[in-house]
Structure formats: structure tokens, C-alpha cells
């Protein structure tokens, strides 16, 4: 047996390619911009003389918190503090400034919205590089691109090649779903992921904040929900200050925070702090002691939901709230005598999808009254609930998600695709290649239908991830989704993408994101736990 093991190991070594080293500072761009023109001629970035400033004529100035914060943040990313690095004399011309100009300062004190422009134009041609954008969100994306252009020459100097870039995202909704109910994620993990999202040009944090296992959101109106529904009401909760901090941290990076409060299913944790909200299950004529979905026949249910979603509408600033609506188990409703009487009264017969639709419609009306839009999982659409025209339907069921996209868009609704990008499902090998090849517009439909697909989401459900492993599990696998959602559809060659993604992974390591390796190789600067030490 020992001889066999040695033989197999030797064959493995012979078969494997030579170890490849990837530099985090080689000017590789991820995601790939729409149009790039680069020259071999390069400028030197003086470590003590380079500045990022507002350009002449820019609508924004020193009072624009989004840009001022970004200037400081990217200056430190571009010119990291390094012990023992001295000024290097170079024969190249110096790039002294990056001048950032926006056409409107409207968004400086606002939150990003679905459909906001993120386009930018970057020119590195003389000693003052220029970055122009319609608004601050485009400027943020351009700053990220500029930071990636910086590379390190053999003599240790930082250089930027002459470059012209015109860029904009292919899809306006580029999301990451984080599940904080199945395992609580500390605040620093949320911040760390928001940083990683900005490095990959994601722009939506889909915060699946509560679910069956726990209710970590600390409500002002209903504090018992987290007092009794959280894993630990002292340590495993998100206070109002925590939520405000996440909202602001995301805003400064041009990232929308869309909370999900999924009902009528996935609500077991709600019942502990709001008795009477869920349906009592029966065995014959006797209660079993267990509970099912939200009880949709009581006026008290809707009184509670009205007050709760009014609070949520003020705490979270995005126009959209995700209302869930998936995986509703009807067996408890079927067993409950009060609900059976209600079904007869409403002439629903035994079609409990009609009861679900009745409930969902009431919740949609409550959210609409708070001047909010909503996302829903695909079951809400499948069950023929009457939806507002601006509803976004999230398609998550595999297989045949292409058929669902065709159906959703044929009725004029916008869609977000999640089905092929459940990155919590892992497989041996380079599964990022599979994510990379999935195109949200690859379904039968007209061009008008395909334009209704506003984007997609990488989803990491929390059954098997917490703060110990979520960053490794997510990155850089989610980066493959990021490029698919940002770059042109023709950028789809995994062989060409591999060296860029490997370099981008090294860049994330250097920035403190513990992204797992793609394959055999090494980074010139390996991970040292930098984010936690900042």
C-alpha cells in the first residue's frame, strides 16, 4: 500500500504544471472594462507626490462625502505603506494627479438606486490623469479601475501605462446575498464583504437578515422579536446603530442594501417574540404544538405587518425591500380548522396557492403604501399574485431557470437571476468556470425581454458558513459572477480569464481579503490577515 501511495503521488507531481506566481500589482483589470486602449509607454507614480483631487469644473467638491472618503481609501490602496521602500529614481515621466470630475453632485448625500449610471471615462495620457463620470457612483467604479492599473516595476517603482478606458456595467443589479440567520455574521464580516464587493464592482448587498433559525434584527417597535428569536439577544443581534453603519459603509462604496424579510414561510424565529403570528398545526382536532407559516386569516397579522414594514421602510433606505415568498409549506394550513373555514368562505376550495396569493397581495399593498418597491422570489410570480409593474422577480430554481426567465419577462416584469450562482454549493476543482459561463440573457425571448433581465446575484446560504470560512468560500468564486454581470457578453473565455482572476485574487489578498486559491501557484505577496489588522 505504501508503494502504491508513493507511485500515485509521483504521477500527480509529474502531471501538474509548474507552479505559477501571480503578482497583485501587475495592472490586470477585473472585471474587464467595456473598452480599453493601453500603450507600452508608462508613467511613474511618485510615492510621496501623487494626489487624487476634484477636477476643474466638477459638480462635486470637498463637501461630497462619497468622493472625499473614496479619495482617501484609494490613495491608501494605490500607495500602500511598505516598510523599507524608498523613493526610486526613474527616467519615466511622473503621474502627479488623478483629477476626478462628475456632472452632478446630486448623489453625494444620497443612496444609490437601481438604474443609476455607473459609467465613467478614464484617461491616463499626461501628468494629470482624468476620470469623468455622470455621478459619484461612476466615479467610484473608475477609481477602482485606476487602482487596478497600477503595477510595480522591477526596480520597485509604481507605474501606470498610458490608457484610455470607456466603461459601464452590462447589468444594473449585480448582487451578493449574505444569510445572517442560519449563522450570525459579525459586523466586521459584513464590512469586509462590502470592501470585496467594491473591488469586484458588485453594487447590491441582498441582506437575508432573518429566517427560521434566528431573528438577529433588533426592531424598535417589536424588540421581543430579537430578544426571543436571536441566538443570543446580547451578542448575536444587529442593533439600529449596526444597521445604520452597514447602510453608510455600503453607500460610501456605491452599494445598495436590500433587506429581505421573507414571509409567509421561513418564519419560525418570528413566533418566539410575536405569539399568535404563525399558524397552529393540528393533528385531527388537536393542536400538535408546532407552527407553520404566518397565519393569513387574522386581522392581527396585518396590523403587525403594517407596523413592522413601516419601520423597515424607514430603517433601510433603498427603494426596494425583498419580501421573499418562497417555499411555503401548505400542510399546516390544511390542518388548521379556522383556515379551512376561511378557505370555504373565500371560495378558494382546496387550492392553498390562492390563500398564499391572498396573503402576499396584502403584504404588497402594505409595502406599496410605504412608497417602497419590492423584489420577490419566483414562486410569487408562479402563483399568479397581482404585482406592481416595477416588481423585480428573482429566479432561483434550478434547472430550467431559462424557461422561468422567458416566462417572467414575457409578462413585462424585470428579473434577477440567482439560480446558477449558489456559491455555497461547492465542488472539487475550479467551479468558478461554471459560474463564469452562465449568461443571464441566455434564454428564448425577444431583445426587449432580455433587456428586462436587470442582473443577477451570487448567493451564499448560511447552513455551513460563518465568520470562520465565509470569505474563503466566497472569494474569488463570486468574482466570476461579478465579471459576468459587468463585462460585455463576449468576454466569456475561461482560459483567458484564469490568469487575470488569479492576479485579481492576489490583489484581494494584498487588500486583506482572504480569497482562496484557484489552483496551484502562489502570490508574490501572500495573505497576512491584513483586513483585521487595519
Amino acid at each position: 500500500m505504501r508503494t502504491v501511495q508513493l507511485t500515485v503521488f509521483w504521477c500527480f507531481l509529474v502531471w501538474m504544471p509548474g507552479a505559477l506566481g501571480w503578482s497583485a500589482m501587475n495592472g490586470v483589470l477585473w472585471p474587464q472594462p467595456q473598452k480599453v486602449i493601453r500603450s507600452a509607454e508608462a508613467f511613474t507614480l511618485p510615492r510621496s507626490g501623487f494626489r487624487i483631487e476634484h477636477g476643474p469644473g466638477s459638480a462635486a467638491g470637498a463637501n461630497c462625502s462619497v468622493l472625499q472618503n473614496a479619495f482617501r481609501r484609494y490613495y491608501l490602496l494605490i500607495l500602500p505603506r511598505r516598510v523599507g521602500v524608498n523613493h526610486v529614481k526613474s527616467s519615466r515621466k511622473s503621474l502627479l494627479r488623478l483629477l476626478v470630475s462628475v456632472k452632478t453632485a446630486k448623489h453625494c448625500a444620497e443612496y444609490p438606486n437601481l438604474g443609476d449610471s455607473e459609467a465613467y471615462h478614464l484617461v491616463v495620457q499626461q501628468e494629470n490623469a482624468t476620470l469623468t463620470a455622470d455621478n459619484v457612483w461612476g466615479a467610484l467604479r473608475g477609481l477602482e479601475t485606476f487602482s487596478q492599473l497600477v503595477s510595480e516595476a522591477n526596480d520597485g517603482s509604481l507605474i501606470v501605462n498610458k490608457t484610455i478606458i470607456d466603461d459601464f456595467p452590462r447589468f444594473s443589479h449585480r448582487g451578493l446575498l449574505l444569510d445572517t440567520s442560519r449563522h450570525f455574521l459579525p459586523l466586521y464580516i459584513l464590512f469586509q464583504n462590502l470592501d470585496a464587493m467594491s473591488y469586484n464592482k458588485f453594487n447590491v448587498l441582498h441582506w437575508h437578515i432573518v429566517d427560521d433559525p434566528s431573528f438577529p434584527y433588533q426592531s424598535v417597535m417589536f424588540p421581543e422579536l430579537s430578544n426571543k428569536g436571536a441566538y443570543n439577544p446580547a451578542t448575536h443581534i444587529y442593533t439600529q446603530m449596526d444597521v445604520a453603519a452597514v447602510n453608510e459603509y455600503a453607500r460610501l462604496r456605491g452599494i445598495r442594501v436590500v433587506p429581505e424579510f421573507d414571509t409567509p414561510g421561513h418564519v419560525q424565529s418570528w413566533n418566539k417574540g410575536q405569539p399568535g403570528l404563525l399558524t397552529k398545526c393540528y393533528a385531527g382536532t388537536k393542536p400538535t404544538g408546532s407552527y407553520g407559516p404566518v397565519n393569513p386569516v387574522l386581522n392581527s397579522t396585518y396590523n403587525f405587518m403594517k407596523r413592522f414594514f413601516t419601520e423597515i421602510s424607514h430603517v433601510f433606505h433603498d427603494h426596494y425591500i425583498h419580501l421573499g415568498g418562497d417555499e411555503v409549506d401548505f400542510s399546516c394550513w390544511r390542518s388548521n380548522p379556522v383556515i379551512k373555514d376561511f378557505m370555504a368562505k373565500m371560495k378558494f376550495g382546496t387550492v392553498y396557492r390562492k390563500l398564499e396569493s391572498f396573503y402576499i397581495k396584502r403584504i404588497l399593498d402594505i409595502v406599496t403604501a410605504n412608497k417602497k418597491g419590492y423584489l420577490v422570489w419566483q414562486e410569487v410570480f408562479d402563483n399568479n399574485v397581482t404585482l406592481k409593474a416595477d416588481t423585480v422577480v428573482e429566479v432561483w430554481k434550478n434547472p430550467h431557470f431559462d424557461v422561468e426567465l422567458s416566462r417572467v419577462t414575457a409578462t413585462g416584469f424585470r428579473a434577477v437571476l440567482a439560480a446558477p450562482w449558489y456559491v455555497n454549493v461547492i465542488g472539487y476543482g475550479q467551479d468558478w468556470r461554471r459560474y463564469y459561463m452562465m449568461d443571464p440573457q441566455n434564454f428564448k425571448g425577444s431583445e426587449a425581454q432580455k433587456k428586462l433581465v436587470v442582473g443577477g446575484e451570487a448567493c451564499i446560504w448560511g447552513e455551513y458558513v460563518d465568520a470562520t470560512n465565509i470569505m474563503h468560500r466566497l472569494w474569488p468564486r463570486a468574482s466570476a459572477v461579478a465579471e459576468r454581470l459587468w463585462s460585455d457578453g463576449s468576454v466569456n473565455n475561461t482560459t483567458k480569464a484564469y490568469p487575470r482572476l488569479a492576479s485579481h485574487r492576489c490583489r484581494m489578498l494584498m487588500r486583506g481579503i482572504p480569497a482562496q486559491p484557484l489552483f496551484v501557484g502562489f502570490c508574490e505577496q501572500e495573505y497576512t490577515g491584513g483586513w483585521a489588522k487595519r
Side-chain angles (χ1 to χ4, degrees), residues 369-387:
N370 282 289
K371 298 181 179 179
K372 290 285 190 177
Y374 43 79
L375 290 93
V376 292
W377 295 111
Q378 68 181 71
E379 288 95 323
V380 176
F381 168 82
D382 294 340
N383 291 345
N384 298 315
V385 176
T386 301
L387 301 172

Side-chain angles (χ1 to χ4, degrees), residues 195-460:
D195 279 341
M197 289 172 69
S198 70
Y199 303 153
N200 290 272
K201 295 188 173 75
F202 279 109
N203 69 346
V204 179
L205 171 61
H206 176 171
W207 192 354
H208 189 87
I209 192 168
V210 302
D211 206 301
D212 283 329
S214 74
F215 197 105
Y217 169 73
Q218 189 178 62
S219 169
V220 174
M221 290 188 177
F222 303 99
E224 291 302 290
L225 286 170
S226 60
N227 285 345
K228 295 182 179 179
Y231 286 133
N232 185 318
T235 59
H236 288 55
I237 57 169
Y238 301 107
T239 67
Q240 295 293 302
M241 289 183 64
D242 292 337
V243 173
V246 170
N247 284 335
E248 181 64 6
Y249 201 91
R251 183 185 79 88
L252 292 174
R253 287 152 183 78
I255 296 172
R256 301 165 50 211
V257 178
V258 177
E260 181 182 353
F261 290 89
D262 190 357
T263 67
H266 291 278
V267 288
Q268 291 301 303
S269 64
W270 299 51
N271 197 51
K272 300 171 185 176
Q274 192 63 26
L277 180 64
L278 305 192
T279 303
K280 288 183 178 179
C281 304
Y282 280 72
T285 59
K286 295 183 179 180
T288 64
S290 61
Y291 294 87
V294 168
N295 191 325
V297 307
L298 303 177
N299 288 332
S300 59
T301 293
Y302 301 103
N303 291 335
F304 164 79
M305 290 296 180
K306 182 178 180 179
R307 294 177 64 195
F308 180 76
F309 278 108
T310 297
E311 174 184 322
I312 297 305
S313 297
H314 288 93
V315 172
F316 292 92
H317 303 285
D318 197 79
H319 176 65
Y320 286 90
I321 299 173
H322 202 304
L323 298 176
D326 63 316
E327 297 183 315
V328 181
D329 183 355
F330 297 150
S331 58
C332 187
W333 282 351
R334 291 191 186 100
S335 74
N336 186 288
V338 176
I339 286 182
K340 287 191 285 188
D341 289 345
F342 183 84
M343 292 282 290
K345 177 182 176 182
M346 298 297 293
K347 298 182 180 180
F348 289 164
T350 58
V351 183
Y352 283 85
R353 291 173 64 174
K354 292 183 178 180
L355 180 60
E356 179 189 17
S357 297
F358 173 85
Y359 168 82
I360 292 289
K361 178 64 169 59
R362 295 284 298 270
I363 298 302
L364 299 185
D365 289 343
I366 289 170
V367 173
T368 300
N370 282 289
K371 298 181 179 179
K372 290 285 190 177
Y374 43 79
L375 290 93
V376 292
W377 295 111
Q378 68 181 71
E379 288 95 323
V380 176
F381 168 82
D382 294 340
N383 291 345
N384 298 315
V385 176
T386 301
L387 301 172
K388 287 196 309 177
D390 71 340
T391 300
V392 180
V393 178
E394 185 157 12
V395 175
W396 71 275
K397 289 188 175 182
N398 244 329
H400 308 309
F401 59 81
D402 55 331
V403 176
E404 185 75 4
L405 285 172
S406 183
R407 292 181 61 242
V408 170
T409 56
T411 57
F413 290 114
R414 289 177 291 178
V416 166
L417 179 63
W421 295 318
Y422 272 33
V423 295
N424 53 289
V425 180
I426 59 174
Y428 187 77
Q430 299 186 49
D431 57 358
W432 69 270
R433 294 176 182 269
R434 183 175 71 252
Y435 305 145
Y436 192 78
M437 294 304 295
M438 294 293 179
D439 194 303
Q441 292 183 334
N442 187 20
F443 63 92
K444 292 181 180 179
S446 66
E447 287 303 309
Q449 282 181 257
K450 294 185 178 183
K451 288 180 180 178
L452 289 172
V453 180
V454 295
E457 291 186 346
C459 303
I460 185 156

Side-chain angles (χ1 to χ4, degrees), residues 45-48 82-89 155-158:
L45 255 69
R47 294 183 185 274
S48 59
R82 298 186 189 178
V83 177
V85 174
N86 299 315
H87 177 73
V88 179
K89 291 184 178 181
D155 61 8
S157 61
L158 299 180

Side-chain angles (χ1 to χ4, degrees), residues 36-50:
V36 182
I37 301 173
R38 299 177 79 170
S39 166
E41 187 178 348
F43 293 97
T44 296
L45 255 69
R47 294 183 185 274
S48 59
F50 176 73

Side-chain angles (χ1 to χ4, degrees), residues 5-71:
Q5 287 177 329
L6 287 173
T7 302
V8 171
F9 182 62
W10 174 248
C11 291
F12 178 76
L13 286 175
V14 171
W15 177 82
M16 294 292 288
L20 299 176
W22 305 102
S23 172
M25 299 283 287
N26 60 3
V28 164
L29 300 178
W30 192 280
Q32 180 70 26
Q34 302 293 335
K35 183 179 179 181
V36 182
I37 301 173
R38 299 177 79 170
S39 166
E41 187 178 348
F43 293 97
T44 296
L45 255 69
R47 294 183 185 274
S48 59
F50 176 73
R51 296 289 183 270
I52 305 175
E53 300 174 352
H54 296 281
S58 177
N63 61 344
C64 183
S65 60
V66 172
L67 290 184
Q68 290 298 110
N69 185 285
F71 291 175

